Amino acid sequence: MTKLFLAIPCYNEELMIDSTANALSSKFGSDKALEVITFINQRHNAEMESEDSDDQAFYKFKNQNLDLSLAITACYDTNYIRKVCTWIDNNKNLFTGSILEVGCDVGIFSCFLAEHFPNSKIVSIDLCKESIENAKQFAAQRNVNNVEFRNCSLEDISEKFDVVFSSKVAHETFEIFENMRYGTPLDVYAEYCKQKLTPYATNLSSCIKEDGTLISIERIKKHPLLLGWLLA
């Protein structure tokens, strides 16, 4: 029977704009820094106003090169990455055998897993081609050689793994309809989220060995989305 571990990190998602702007200006110049900060602010404001954002466009933009990708990741996810890595370190017993990482982006968790579990076969996938290219470069810089990076979707995975690890992917798999945001009963909204998330959950499950483990660490702020993900 597959074992499921679902973690919803409670972290403060304040954007560290000032420090990021200074770092970007020093490394890439003021014009590039302004372009990046403007892009980040637009996406952040859309999220705060519960508007749908183009996630693939965001990842393509942030992964123009490795240094830029890491700088933007630091702006968004420093606390999140620290907490997830701490959780992994405290739960090493869950990560045995082969590991599939879904949505690896620039490869930070990929390399952390590879360094912590050097005897494991790790496959990390992402839909963004630029993310995969940067992840390969990042792994090479860290002398990590037990990760295979693939630019593909879950549907393209034919193998089954002992562990499937997914981080901040579920909430990006579908759009939230405007009329479902406000005043919708919890059960109705959750059922909608369940229906939208079920294909992703099914694809995740298909990659896990019968006695394997699914570890889902998600950024879920809405109760209906959390309930829908659990039901899916």
Side-chain angles (χ1 to χ4, degrees):
M1 178 179 293
T2 299
K3 299 179 288 294
L4 169 65
F5 292 86
L6 179 68
I8 312 295
C10 296
Y11 66 101
N12 188 358
E13 197 182 45
E14 292 182 354
L15 296 181
M16 295 175 284
I17 294 296
D18 291 339
S19 60
T20 300
N22 292 333
L24 289 172
S25 294
S26 299
K27 197 170 188 66
F28 302 107
S30 57
D31 289 344
K32 189 63 176 180
L34 178 61
E35 177 189 0
V36 172
I37 295 304
T38 300
F39 187 88
I40 290 174
N41 276 328
Q42 289 174 346
R43 186 175 192 264
H44 184 65
N45 290 338
E47 289 179 342
M48 292 300 99
E49 295 170 7
S50 296
E51 296 177 3
D52 294 320
S53 56
D54 188 341
D55 292 310
Q56 288 306 306
F58 170 74
Y59 288 113
K60 188 178 181 66
F61 178 89
K62 82 179 280 286
N63 281 290
Q64 295 174 53
N65 59 68
L66 177 59
D67 288 341
L68 180 62
S69 183
L70 291 174
I72 295 177
T73 298
C75 178
Y76 265 91
D77 288 331
T78 297
N79 291 332
Y80 175 81
I81 291 170
R82 183 182 299 113
K83 290 188 176 184
V84 172
C85 289
T86 299
W87 189 90
I88 293 172
D89 191 55
N90 291 336
N91 294 274
K92 291 180 181 179
N93 60 302
L94 300 178
F95 295 85
T96 58
S98 57
I99 301 172
L100 172 66
E101 181 195 9
V102 181
C104 66
D105 191 31
V106 73
I108 292 176
F109 292 140
S110 314
C111 292
F112 186 82
L113 289 168
E115 291 166 351
H116 270 58
F117 311 104
N119 296 323
S120 291
K121 170 195 173 184
I122 301 173
V123 174
S124 295
I125 68 172
D126 201 283
L127 291 174
C128 178
K129 179 181 178 182
E130 291 78 6
S131 295
I132 291 295
E133 293 304 315
N134 283 331
K136 291 178 179 178
Q137 185 180 345
F138 185 58
Q141 288 183 1
R142 299 187 64 85
N143 295 316
V144 167
N145 54 25
N146 59 321
V147 180
E148 178 188 351
F149 292 101
R150 300 181 190 175
N151 176 211
C152 67
S153 67
L154 270 173
E155 291 91 335
D156 299 318
I157 300 297
S158 58
E159 310 101 305
K160 290 188 180 293
F161 295 81
D162 297 295
V163 179
V164 174
F165 173 76
S166 171
S167 170
K168 293 209 312 181
V169 177
H171 73 285
E172 295 182 351
T173 59
F174 70 97
E175 295 181 354
I176 300 174
F177 291 154
E178 181 67 36
N179 63 358
M180 297 295 287
R181 288 195 179 104
Y182 306 109
T184 304
L186 175 61
D187 59 337
V188 175
Y189 201 162
E191 179 61 27
Y192 163 76
C193 293
K194 172 192 171 184
Q195 292 175 5
K196 294 297 182 179
L197 286 166
T198 293
Y200 174 64
T202 300
N203 288 329
L204 273 182
S205 300
S206 69
C207 297
I208 308 170
K209 292 182 180 179
E210 186 175 348
D211 59 345
T213 301
L214 169 62
I215 299 171
S216 175
I217 302 179
E218 298 295 341
R219 183 191 69 184
I220 296 179
K221 300 177 181 178
K222 302 176 185 298
H223 296 309
L225 181 54
L226 171 57
L227 182 54
W229 180 225
L230 291 171
L231 292 171

